[in-house]
Amino acid sequence: MRDAMTHPLRLALTPGEPAGVGPDLVVRLAQRPHPAELIAVADPDLLADRARALGLGLRIQEFDPGAPARPSEPGRLLVQPVPLEVAARPGRLDPRNATYVLETLAQACDACLDGRFDALITAPVHKGVINEGGVHFTGHTEFLAERCGSEPVMMLATPGLRVALATTHLPLSQVGAAITRQHLSRVIEILHHDLSRRFGIARPRILVCGLNPHAGEGGHLGREEIDVIEPVLADSRDRGMDLTGPLPADTAFVPKRLETADAVLAMYHDQGLPVLKHLGFGRAANITLGLPIVRTSVDHGTALDLVGTDRAELGSLETAIDIAIEMAGATGVKS
């Protein structure tokens, strides 16, 4: 890991679905200076074609891992080449490129693991077309966790709010059974650890939502809080963690509570993320905690209808880069 104060960080960018908006965002991002060195892990012809379609000048150079890192310059993009299976047509999904998408992720992840890159930033993929290509795929988070041999925790962040999830892409009918004492304890441990290690927070303050309405209303609206959540929180507090909860989710996000918190832990995907996206959609980033690498991502999808236009917002990708730089460069601890 390079010292961000003296040497530019090297950040890998995967443009995601080649027919989607990811390649557009990468070539538009390359028009701006950045303090880190950005390397796209992608097909260089795809990026060149998309730059021409957008009327952007772009000088593409093959990445040389032996060269000194330097900040990215406007109009220049380093690329670690990965060839498409078939030419990508803007806005037209093709399952034959599923293996290409996964190969870009695999190469970028492996390069972070061996220290060539300091962080990974991912643009959106299309889960459906990858599965249609014959590969079982539930998402970036699960793919990277398996490749790294780690247990992941998903967290989204926008200025003023971080929301982590105890469960991720599960049907609502399966959430209750998935929240066991062992699982919840591990999620809290990872969240606490990475807030300290990756964000430099000495004593993270975490608000924990209940699962049921009114946090179970003393057992009248469900017993998960009594049987699972409260015992886990008590044990975690005994190990020195600053946790508040379980709180009714409908009041956990009021400003007065958030002023005293570094993160909120929601029990399931749509309990926490609507609040965060209402506050900061287009300025939020998805963060995978619990990995041996830094990984952030955008908070939106492939936006097939915006490909080839200049209407796709860069804000989420820039937020993802800013947070990746913060996480990869964190060396001290703040109170």
Side-chain angles (χ1 to χ4, degrees):
M1 181 73 66
R2 277 162 285 278
D3 181 351
M5 299 298 293
T6 56
H7 300 285
L9 297 171
R10 277 185 164 149
L11 310 181
L13 300 176
T14 54
E17 167 54 48
V21 77
D24 295 41
L25 297 177
V26 170
V27 300
R28 288 175 55 202
L29 186 78
Q31 306 302 308
R32 305 179 181 185
H34 284 273
E37 185 171 69
L38 307 180
I39 301 99
V41 182
D43 189 310
D45 292 335
L46 167 66
L47 299 176
D49 289 346
R50 203 61 63 83
R52 281 191 292 269
L54 292 169
L56 300 174
L58 185 63
R59 181 164 51 98
I60 294 176
Q61 295 181 344
E62 185 168 343
F63 170 61
D64 176 7
R70 58 193 178 105
S72 290
E73 304 167 2
R76 169 180 169 268
L77 180 62
L78 296 179
V79 177
Q80 179 168 306
V82 179
L84 284 163
E85 295 295 327
V86 294
R89 293 179 294 172
R92 302 287 296 275
L93 298 171
D94 192 324
R96 292 174 292 179
N97 277 325
T99 55
Y100 158 80
V101 173
L102 297 183
E103 181 61 21
T104 65
L105 289 175
Q107 287 195 23
C109 178
D110 291 351
C112 288
L113 285 170
D114 68 20
R116 279 175 288 161
F117 299 144
D118 297 297
L120 167 61
I121 298 97
T122 61
V125 297
H126 193 287
K127 299 181 185 71
V129 77
I130 293 175
N131 282 276
E132 288 172 18
V135 182
H136 177 67
F137 182 83
T138 56
H140 276 114
T141 302
E142 295 81 0
F143 177 89
L144 294 170
E146 182 177 355
R147 195 159 190 94
C148 293
S150 301
E151 185 176 355
V153 171
M154 181 185 291
M155 183 173 80
L156 271 77
T158 195
L161 181 62
R162 301 183 185 98
V163 177
L165 303 177
T167 61
T168 52
H169 300 120
L170 283 181
L172 191 57
S173 61
Q174 298 177 20
V175 168
I179 301 174
T180 64
R181 290 192 187 188
Q182 181 179 7
H183 174 72
L184 184 59
S185 178
R186 182 62 178 150
V187 168
I188 291 173
E189 182 180 348
I190 291 170
L191 175 59
H192 183 274
H193 176 271
D194 279 15
L195 286 172
S196 178
R197 178 186 175 213
R198 300 293 194 187
F199 291 90
I201 302 170
R203 183 171 168 78
R205 300 163 301 172
I206 301 170
L207 304 182
V208 181
C209 295
L211 174 64
N212 297 295
H214 300 180
E217 195 77 68
H220 296 288
L221 295 176
R223 291 194 55 85
E224 286 85 357
E225 287 77 13
I226 295 171
D227 295 339
V228 178
I229 301 175
E230 289 176 2
V232 169
L233 297 188
D235 180 67
S236 299
R237 291 187 190 104
D238 287 344
R239 291 186 285 130
M241 299 183 199
D242 187 347
L243 307 172
T244 301
L247 299 170
D250 61 350
T251 56
F253 293 92
V254 298
K256 187 174 181 179
R257 286 196 186 278
L258 294 180
E259 287 173 3
T260 67
D262 298 299
V264 178
L265 176 61
M267 290 296 110
Y268 57 93
H269 188 280
D270 283 11
Q271 184 184 62
L273 297 194
V275 181
L276 184 134
K277 292 193 176 186
H278 174 72
L279 175 65
F281 190 75
R283 298 180 298 116
N286 188 339
I287 304 160
T288 306
L289 306 178
L291 300 180
I293 67 172
V294 171
R295 180 262 172 165
T296 65
S297 186
V298 295
D299 69 344
H300 57 75
T302 52
L304 298 174
D305 58 323
L306 298 181
V307 179
T309 75
D310 60 358
R311 292 184 289 124
E313 295 289 341
L314 273 171
S316 182
L317 182 58
E318 293 191 313
T319 299
I321 290 172
D322 289 344
I323 292 175
I325 291 172
E326 176 188 3
M327 294 175 67
T331 55
V333 173
K334 60 189 177 185
S335 57

